[in-house]
Amino acid sequence: MVNISINGRKFQVKPKTTVLEAAKANGYYIPTLCYHPRLPVAGNCRLCLVDVKGSWKPLTACTTEVWEGMEIETDSPAVIETVRSSLSMMREEHPNDCMTCESNGDCEFQDLIYRYQIDAKHPVRSLLKHKFKKTNHSITEPCYSPFDNSTFSVARDMNKCVKCGRCIRACHHFQNINILGFINRAGYERVGTPMDRPMNFTKCVECGQCSQVCPVGAITARTEVVDVLRHLDTKRKVVVCSTAPAIRVALAEEFSTEADFDFTGKMVAGLRKLGFDYIFDTNFSADLTIMEEGTELIDRLNNGGKFPMFTSCCPGWINMVEKSYPELSDNLSSCKSPQQMIGAVIKSYFAKKLGLSTEDIIHVSIMPCTAKKGEARRPEFVQKGKDGKDYPDIDYVITTRELLTLLKLKKINPAELPDDKFDSPLGIGSSAGNLFGVTGGVMEAAIRTAQVITGVENPIPLGELKAIRGLDGIKAANVPLKTKDGKEVSVRAAVVSGGANIQKFLEKIKNKELEFDFIEMMMCPGGCINGGGQPKSADPEIVAKKMQRMYTMDDQAKLRLCHENPEIIDVYKNFLGEPNSHLAHELLHTHYND
Ligand code: HC0
Ligand code: SF4
């Protein structure tokens, strides 16, 4: 152990600990902006300065490791003055539109400005923000950047950027897509895209990982909160919502419940209080996806089809195929994602039950993912209304962060409400469907059902698919399945999450170093629990905690198999016929662009 002192108090810390880690672990505050616990350290914001006895200059706490006898001061007048001066300069460049900013109340820069009481000397008027003005180097007249809402998923207002570079590191470190980087020099420096093009014209997959780590409101999900609020407030239409698997675990963490507490009932209660007329579970359509995708896999095995077959439920992955690997588009499962399946079923099956037409229903999908917003806007995901016009299966997609904004606006704390239940039908989901929210979950759900349906002699016991559980980026397992002539075959299954891992993996597939039959792909590392629309968190263990909560929910569940879901049995019996039927194909399958 290493002996140090911080502001006069003595501590022992492990060697190689940084000053920042040592200070945080012992309850000291050191300001940071570019530091993020899940990203490589950059040390470029210069806010985490500390005085160290014997050093001729203040040192950055995030990059400096402790040494024996180190005497650290976090609050010397020189340190405070330097931090205040850096913040003042940043504030001079920052638009003054906090009140309508997406990150209002969830902004690390706002917190710092308050904490250090930095008044605006020359507040930058937000009205100027849409103008592209390259004028001079003056700090009070900065260079304005255009607003980029070229995708349906992610919005960029680089006028709010504090140049911490977290988004650049997220896009590189998690995804290896490298859309973002510092461009220009000498006073014009800002974060931009290749050739400074709008995001839609780059290889951006709209995963939103950049928005998840942005400390301010410079990169956000493209918000639909106000539209949803208007429908909830005016109730001119039947307003329904469906909730992705990963939302309930995110809310459980957000409201700090015990590790084994299932927040589903509280989440539904909160949504009911928000004013939704019907609340449905995307876990239902995750179960439906397994019925359709499992049948498709077995059909490809029996009748010959393109292999490897890739899952198609992650829209970030679909964007990546369409933009960077178009030659793989026939390898994708033809299944729509669970989001789009429940969208299609709500606006047909459910609408019919209520005697309504598609345009009478507003369907809000609540997702941990920004790319789901873009998926919902694909022109093929529509149905005809009474007037012969096309209406979208999903009207709005809001992220978990946007849901928290709605709850805050309406002053609802779901943790304080008695549990409520999803509406029925379309409100029952198996815990296998819930596992879709973690990397490996789609595969695990598929294996459970496919093994039972094909009747293999020794199915892998429930809960024993350890090889495809956990946070490793690339995982694999051999799965016994039976073909229709009774032959037992071993299906080589792989599970990959995170864009950087996906690219590495595909390179090996292309070079024939690896061969697989069925592959689950998720763009965000760890799966949807770590989606780009999830709440921002300073907890380095947040993804692992959410994953464990998902597994615990599965352990505690009574309904653990997709095909045993009574509502799934019912929807096939009374509406769809059988998996991959003509109607199922019409409503639940699609094709992707090559
Ligand atoms: Fe996911 Fe989904 S599991 S993509 O990760 O498949 O976003 O949570 O809702 O659609 O079900 C996200 C999460 C979903 C979909 C499901 C899938
Ligand atoms: Fe990179 Fe994803 Fe952000 Fe696009 S949305 S810039 S791919 S991190």
Side-chain angles (χ1 to χ4, degrees):
M1 297 297 268
V2 180
N3 295 296
I4 60 166
S5 77
I6 307 178
N7 299 346
R9 291 197 198 187
K10 291 189 171 31
F11 301 99
Q12 286 199 320
V13 295
K14 285 192 188 141
K16 299 262 169 218
T17 308
T18 64
V19 172
L20 182 62
E21 287 162 347
K24 273 184 156 201
N26 289 296
Y28 290 89
Y29 174 78
I30 293 182
T32 53
L33 260 185
C34 69
Y35 174 82
H36 189 280
R38 293 175 48 235
L39 289 172
V41 170
N44 62 358
C45 74
R46 319 307 290 175
L47 288 185
C48 67
L49 295 176
V50 289
D51 265 333
V52 176
K53 193 169 173 194
S55 170
W56 63 274
K57 59 169 188 175
L59 302 176
T60 43
C62 68
T63 57
T64 307
E65 287 177 5
V66 293
W67 63 70
E68 182 58 33
M70 193 180 208
E71 291 178 30
I72 303 157
E73 282 197 13
T74 63
D75 63 345
S76 68
V79 164
I80 301 286
E81 207 31 58
T82 317
V83 171
R84 293 196 84 247
S85 138
S86 298
L87 288 172
S88 300
M89 284 194 280
M90 285 170 165
R91 170 142 202 192
E92 291 294 291
E93 291 190 340
H94 202 82
N96 218 18
D97 57 1
C98 296
M99 281 196 271
T100 50
C101 177
E102 252 332 275
S103 293
N104 189 16
D106 189 17
C107 173
E108 293 175 42
F109 186 57
Q110 195 177 41
D111 292 349
L112 284 164
I113 295 296
Y114 179 80
R115 189 186 269 268
Y116 287 89
Q117 292 288 296
I118 311 292
D119 290 325
K121 294 190 185 71
H122 305 282
V124 176
R125 281 174 300 134
S126 57
L127 278 179
L128 289 173
K129 77 180 176 191
H130 297 293
K131 294 195 181 144
F132 195 32
K133 189 181 165 208
K134 277 192 175 171
T135 49
N136 54 44
H137 299 256
S138 150
I139 251 163
T140 52
E141 275 193 59
C143 156
Y144 287 91
S145 311
F147 188 69
D148 180 358
N149 61 3
S150 60
T151 76
F152 288 112
S153 308
V154 177
R156 281 193 314 139
D157 184 352
M158 287 298 119
N159 303 294
K160 292 179 185 167
C161 177
V162 288
K163 302 186 179 88
C164 66
R166 284 190 197 174
C167 55
I168 300 172
R169 278 174 283 150
C171 191
H172 173 73
H173 180 71
F174 298 141
Q175 309 298 47
N176 193 30
I177 297 180
N178 305 314
I179 297 306
L180 303 168
F182 284 114
I183 58 170
N184 301 340
R185 285 176 175 218
Y188 297 119
E189 189 185 45
R190 62 186 170 86
V191 173
T193 60
M195 310 300 288
D196 209 13
R197 308 187 80 191
M199 282 170 103
N200 196 29
F201 300 97
T202 68
K203 294 212 167 181
C204 170
V205 297
E206 304 177 28
C207 66
Q209 286 295 322
C210 47
S211 72
Q212 231 255 343
V213 296
C214 179
V216 293
I219 306 189
T220 63
R222 192 169 151 182
T223 182
E224 293 170 89
V225 163
V226 176
D227 305 271
V228 172
L229 201 57
R230 182 168 45 84
H231 284 291
L232 288 171
D233 287 347
T234 57
K235 296 193 177 296
R236 290 203 174 269
K237 299 202 174 190
V238 176
V239 191
V240 312
C241 69
S242 55
T243 61
I247 307 297
R248 59 212 79 190
V249 291
L251 293 186
E253 291 298 335
E254 204 58 21
F255 292 95
S256 307
T257 56
E258 297 296 313
D260 63 348
F261 187 86
D262 181 350
F263 204 76
T264 311
K266 306 267 178 227
M267 172 186 76
V268 177
L271 292 168
R272 189 92 57 206
K273 199 145 190 222
L274 273 175
F276 286 103
D277 295 309
Y278 294 91
I279 299 155
F280 301 122
D281 197 353
T282 314
N283 292 8
F284 161 84
S285 51
D287 288 348
L288 196 55
T289 304
I290 290 302
M291 301 306 290
E292 293 296 320
E293 200 163 85
T295 307
E296 185 185 354
L297 174 68
I298 291 160
D299 184 60
R300 285 196 200 194
L301 285 170
N302 284 333
N303 303 319
K306 199 106 182 199
F307 282 102
M309 179 170 127
F310 292 106
T311 56
S312 57
C313 41
C314 169
W317 158 238
I318 298 295
N319 289 339
M320 190 181 227
V321 170
E322 290 185 335
K323 285 185 168 181
S324 302
Y325 299 95
E327 68 281 8
L328 295 179
S329 40
D330 287 343
N331 294 65
L332 292 169
S333 158
S334 65
C335 289
K336 288 182 187 174
S337 73
Q339 162 171 283
Q340 294 308 135
M341 283 200 187
I342 204 164
V345 174
I346 285 173
K347 295 253 178 139
S348 55
Y349 177 66
F350 176 74
K352 214 155 128 198
K353 270 189 185 282
L354 290 193
L356 297 171
S357 175
T358 168
E359 66 269 40
D360 302 326
I361 298 176
I362 294 293
H363 176 192
V364 180
S365 174
I366 307 173
M367 288 280 144
C369 167
T370 51
K372 285 280 172 199
K373 288 173 180 274
E375 179 183 77
R377 292 282 162 270
R378 289 177 75 99
E380 59 270 31
F381 295 151
V382 294
Q383 292 185 53
K384 291 261 178 264
K386 277 190 298 240
D387 54 7
K389 286 193 196 145
D390 285 340
Y391 288 89
D393 286 331
I394 295 185
D395 297 273
Y396 304 102
V397 177
I398 57 168
T399 60
T400 322
R401 290 201 294 274
E402 290 172 271
L403 173 62
L404 289 171
T405 303
L406 279 180
L407 291 168
K408 202 162 86 182
L409 276 168
K410 293 214 170 203
K411 311 242 178 310
I412 296 167
N413 180 351
E416 290 171 351
L417 302 174
D419 284 8
D420 197 347
K421 281 202 163 80
F422 285 109
D423 289 289
S424 183
L426 321 184
I428 297 179
S430 73
S431 63
N434 198 47
L435 285 179
F436 269 50
V438 293
T439 167
V442 179
M443 186 61 76
E444 184 159 346
I447 292 170
R448 288 182 188 181
T449 283
Q451 289 195 125
V452 177
I453 287 177
T454 64
V456 284
E457 306 295 326
N458 294 307
I460 303 171
L462 281 187
E464 295 239 336
L465 277 161
K466 297 227 166 58
I468 55 167
R469 287 193 167 193
L471 281 171
D472 287 348
I474 302 177
K475 299 171 281 185
N478 284 328
V479 184
L481 287 186
K482 248 187 194 168
T483 58
K484 71 174 170 217
D485 46 15
K487 217 169 70 197
E488 205 162 284
V489 291
S490 179
V491 172
R492 296 161 299 179
V495 170
V496 190
S497 77
N501 297 320
I502 288 178
Q503 290 170 68
K504 256 190 261 162
F505 179 83
L506 288 179
E507 202 50 36
K508 290 196 182 326
I509 293 278
K510 212 167 80 189
N511 298 337
K512 303 223 176 303
E513 288 167 56
L514 291 175
E515 277 190 61
F516 286 100
D517 304 303
F518 185 32
I519 304 167
E520 177 202 299
M521 294 290 208
M522 289 285 175
M523 185 52 63
C524 294
C528 293
I529 45 169
N530 183 28
Q534 291 284 59
K536 299 177 183 181
S537 173
D539 180 354
E541 300 304 320
I542 190 71
V543 183
K545 284 183 185 163
K546 286 180 188 159
M547 175 173 259
Q548 193 46 53
R549 201 182 276 271
M550 282 270 180
Y551 293 144
T552 306
M553 286 171 84
D554 180 53
D555 289 342
Q556 292 172 346
K558 290 198 185 75
L559 177 62
R560 299 183 74 202
L561 295 165
C562 304
H563 59 277
E564 287 181 356
N565 179 340
E567 289 190 343
I568 291 290
I569 297 168
D570 200 55
V571 81
Y572 279 112
K573 195 163 141 219
N574 298 320
F575 184 59
L576 293 168
E578 55 183 11
N580 288 11
S581 68
H582 181 72
L583 181 57
H585 256 282
E586 209 171 278
L587 280 175
L588 310 178
H589 291 250
T590 186
H591 66 274
Y592 298 97
N593 303 328
D594 52 23

